Amino acid sequence: MAPKLELLPAVDVRDGQAVRLVHGESGSETSYGSPLEAALAWQSSGAEWLHLVDLDAAFGTGDNRALIRDVTDAMDIKVELSGGIRDDDTLAAALATGCTRVNLGTAALETPEWVAKVIAEHGDKIAVGLDVRGTTLRGRGWTRDGGDLYETLERLNAEGCARYVVTDIAKDGTLQGPNLELLRTVCAATDRPVVASGGVSSLDDLRAIAELVPLGVEGSIVGKALYAKAFTLEAALEAVSS
Ligand SMILES: O=C(O)c1ccccc1N[C@@H]1O[C@H](COP(=O)(O)O)[C@@H](O)[C@H]1O
């Protein structure tokens, strides 16, 4: 039996609230209330992972560090933490939450030597978020170009990066379906597991991503669709369970 697709319900935090953005654009927020309540709800619904993002840290508009800590403390499940993890201090603070792994975005584009160092030090506790428009990577809250996806992927593969979280920014927060072709081409360019992000709108979308497990897709982040109640997390977990 093919291994199941992992699902990572998302809690993105901006100004103390759980929010969803459209295309990751600052100012496009829809608020969904308490991040802790959202995370506890996903955990109660059977999630094995939580994808937790400090959007203020990613945008450079402050941080939600204390709240992020409260959420990670309350979780019995695995937590993938991202947003603003760009140097030794922010990485130490992120890892000190007890999260299972962190995603590095901007740092992989702007400080590749540091990223190579922390990959060597921390192994699979480090994933790199490849946030792309077309095949151009974006950093600093997805506001700045950061180089070519496939050149960066080749470099990170050589440095031993354990895992990639691939977001199609054009799809993110739109409920327009995932970019399956992007996932296929990234999987063809690496032997590391890939977590899909962006665009999931239906259980059929999740089933389509699950078809890519044999190619190297390990999981899928689910955000807007859950908050918009397009389906329940229980139904999503059932849909990808075999
Ligand atoms: O998740 C989002 O919607 C998002 C939107 C805009 C910027 C970042 C976003 N999320 C995640 O944040 C990290 C990148 O943060 P940094 O560049 O390392 O500070 C990455 O995992 C994004 O997917």
Side-chain angles (χ1 to χ4, degrees):
M1 190 165 54
K4 68 172 187 175
L5 182 76
E6 292 177 345
L7 293 185
L8 299 85
V11 174
D12 289 15
V13 184
R14 185 111 208 239
D15 201 15
Q17 297 292 299
V19 300
R20 302 309 307 161
L21 307 180
V22 180
H23 303 311
E25 281 171 18
S26 185
S28 68
E29 291 91 336
T30 302
S31 183
Y32 293 95
S34 157
L36 180 58
E37 280 178 27
L40 288 169
W42 305 141
Q43 178 170 268
S44 301
S45 297
E48 294 178 8
W49 277 97
L50 178 72
H51 175 76
L52 182 59
V53 184
D54 188 339
L55 282 177
D56 285 299
F59 283 119
T61 53
D63 68 68
N64 298 277
R65 210 181 263 193
L67 199 154
I68 293 282
R69 182 85 206 207
D70 289 346
V71 174
T72 51
D73 282 351
M75 291 296 103
D76 299 322
I77 59 175
K78 293 171 274 193
V79 177
E80 173 178 272
L81 182 56
S82 67
I85 304 166
R86 300 180 187 174
D87 57 25
D88 286 334
D89 287 348
T90 47
L91 177 61
L95 293 175
T97 64
C99 67
T100 309
R101 66 177 181 241
V102 300
N103 281 351
L104 308 179
T106 300
L109 313 179
E110 296 188 357
T111 52
E113 303 82 8
W114 179 76
V115 170
K117 178 183 81 117
V118 299
I119 285 171
E121 283 172 4
H122 297 286
D124 71 358
K125 291 192 90 64
I126 307 283
V128 167
L130 300 168
D131 305 323
V132 292
R133 271 200 179 275
T135 57
T136 301
L137 291 157
R138 302 280 282 175
R140 301 223 165 232
W142 299 351
T143 60
R144 285 198 213 163
D145 284 354
D148 177 72
L149 167 61
Y150 295 103
E151 285 173 16
T152 303
L153 191 53
E154 192 177 350
R155 186 194 85 220
L156 289 162
N157 283 338
E159 291 167 354
C161 184
R163 176 175 283 96
Y164 302 104
V165 179
V166 177
T167 304
D168 182 351
I169 295 170
K171 296 278 194 178
D172 203 52
T174 66
L175 297 174
Q176 287 178 354
N179 186 338
L180 300 172
E181 193 48 37
L182 173 68
L183 295 169
R184 279 191 205 96
T185 53
V186 170
C187 285
T190 185
D191 58 2
R192 315 302 148 74
V194 168
V195 177
S197 173
V200 169
S201 69
S202 66
L203 295 179
D204 279 346
D205 286 343
L206 290 174
R207 291 185 190 104
I209 296 171
E211 296 280 317
L212 305 183
V213 167
L215 301 186
V217 174
E218 175 185 66
S220 177
I221 293 168
V222 193
K224 185 75 169 278
L226 289 175
Y227 290 89
K229 302 192 189 314
F231 48 76
T232 64
L233 182 55
E234 288 90 339
L237 290 163
E238 172 67 23
V240 299
S241 65
S242 60

